[in-house]
Amino acid sequence: NSKLRHVEKDVLIPQIMRERAKELCSDKVQAFTKCCQETGLLMVVKCRQENTALKDCLVGYYSDPSFYEECKTEYLKQREEYRATGIKKKRQKLTSNV
């Protein structure tokens, strides 16, 4: 059964999208983080370019219908596994050495 509840469409699938987009944009996440660490209080002004690049990357994924479908398929697979086993699978997080 692949019918989605409101919370699945509006919360759970977007959560997977955010996590995956962060992984896919990890170079821009790292560049922005590094800039912020190096500039301190002036980060709003000095890191504008890195922030824009990061936002553009993330929004590109968030607004891509095929990326949504990919994440929806991943969610449905996780849901099916959970219903079959009763064990919730934890998403593996990418660790960065920042």
Side-chain angles (χ1 to χ4, degrees):
N1 182 8
S2 62
K3 230 171 181 355
L4 293 170
R5 297 175 320 204
H6 166 73
V7 71
E8 292 172 316
K9 275 191 273 193
D10 297 344
V11 177
L12 300 175
I13 294 171
Q15 184 178 3
I16 290 174
M17 291 176 74
R18 280 191 301 276
E19 289 172 10
R20 291 212 40 225
K22 274 188 203 166
E23 291 168 10
L24 294 166
C25 297
S26 65
D27 56 333
K28 290 165 184 63
V29 171
Q30 287 177 1
F32 179 65
T33 303
K34 184 177 179 211
C35 180
C36 290
Q37 288 171 340
E38 290 173 356
T39 57
L41 294 175
L42 297 173
M43 68 183 182
V44 175
V45 176
K46 297 224 179 202
C47 301
R48 201 172 281 153
Q49 188 176 339
E50 290 83 353
N51 188 27
T52 300
L54 174 56
K55 273 199 244 178
D56 289 348
C57 184
L58 294 173
V59 168
Y61 283 109
Y62 298 158
S63 58
D64 180 354
S66 63
F67 185 67
Y68 176 84
E69 288 303 318
E70 208 177 292
C71 293
K72 179 173 129 181
T73 301
E74 182 181 333
Y75 171 77
L76 290 171
K77 187 176 159 207
Q78 288 175 8
R79 185 177 78 174
E80 189 178 318
E81 285 175 21
Y82 173 72
R83 287 178 176 175
T85 64
I87 300 166
K88 187 172 172 107
K89 184 180 172 200
K90 297 226 182 223
R91 272 190 53 83
Q92 187 175 351
K93 297 242 182 220
L94 261 179
T95 55
S96 63
N97 299 339
V98 179

